[in-house]
Amino acid sequence: HCVLVRMQKPQSAYFKLGRSEFHTGFQNACDQINTWRAWFESPANKNYFADKMLGQLRVPLGQNPVEMKYILVHGQRKEIQDNELRRARIRTKENNDFRIMSFDSLAEFLPAKYELYLEV
């Protein structure tokens, strides 16, 4: 799995102030993920990325398939934690290859998290 992460500022809002309508910044971030997803829908683009960008990482494993996953790190949990409608609206944006998480959730249980390997 290749995971692409879009990180927004911790102060970024999910919703317009006092409403359950998505904030423009949140909507734009989700649209960016959709743009990435659309680009990788082309087999030529996906193969180029897998061969040229991930090529050296794939050498020990041969030409194993590359599956794309996406994460949007946005805002803070306090904006949505006490509002089931807001949490549900955010869940409707997610699917099997796309997850949305709050910025503060990155630090939760940090000592218990597994070691992370990155390729930039």
Side-chain angles (χ1 to χ4, degrees):
H1 292 115
C2 180
V3 181
L4 301 178
V5 180
R6 164 96 188 225
M7 293 185 81
Q8 299 294 100
K9 297 177 189 174
Q11 305 86 347
S12 298
Y14 289 99
F15 296 93
K16 292 181 179 179
L17 190 60
R19 300 168 68 185
S20 290
E21 183 179 333
F22 287 127
H23 190 278
T24 305
F26 176 69
Q27 192 60 49
N28 289 344
C30 289
D31 288 345
Q32 178 67 56
I33 299 290
N34 287 332
T35 299
W36 293 349
R37 185 185 285 121
W39 192 83
F40 282 109
E41 283 293 315
S42 162
N45 290 342
K46 188 174 181 180
N47 290 336
Y48 173 82
F49 182 82
D51 294 340
K52 301 296 182 191
M53 305 303 286
L54 302 177
Q56 293 300 315
L57 295 173
R58 296 173 73 204
V59 169
L61 301 174
Q63 293 301 312
N64 57 317
V66 174
E67 297 297 324
M68 304 307 294
K69 302 288 184 179
Y70 309 89
I71 296 176
L72 171 59
V73 180
H74 190 96
Q76 297 178 31
R77 183 181 306 123
K78 67 182 178 183
E79 184 181 357
I80 60 172
Q81 68 186 2
D82 295 328
N83 189 314
E84 179 55 35
L85 175 60
R86 285 182 169 193
R87 287 194 310 274
R89 294 221 46 222
I90 289 171
R91 280 193 306 269
T92 64
K93 294 278 193 185
E94 297 179 313
N95 58 44
N96 64 339
D97 68 349
F98 175 43
R99 293 287 179 254
I100 299 169
M101 57 192 300
S102 63
F103 206 92
D104 47 337
S105 68
L106 292 176
E108 281 183 337
F109 309 111
L110 198 55
K113 294 195 186 251
Y114 295 104
E115 188 171 353
L116 177 65
Y117 299 95
L118 289 180
E119 173 68 21
V120 178

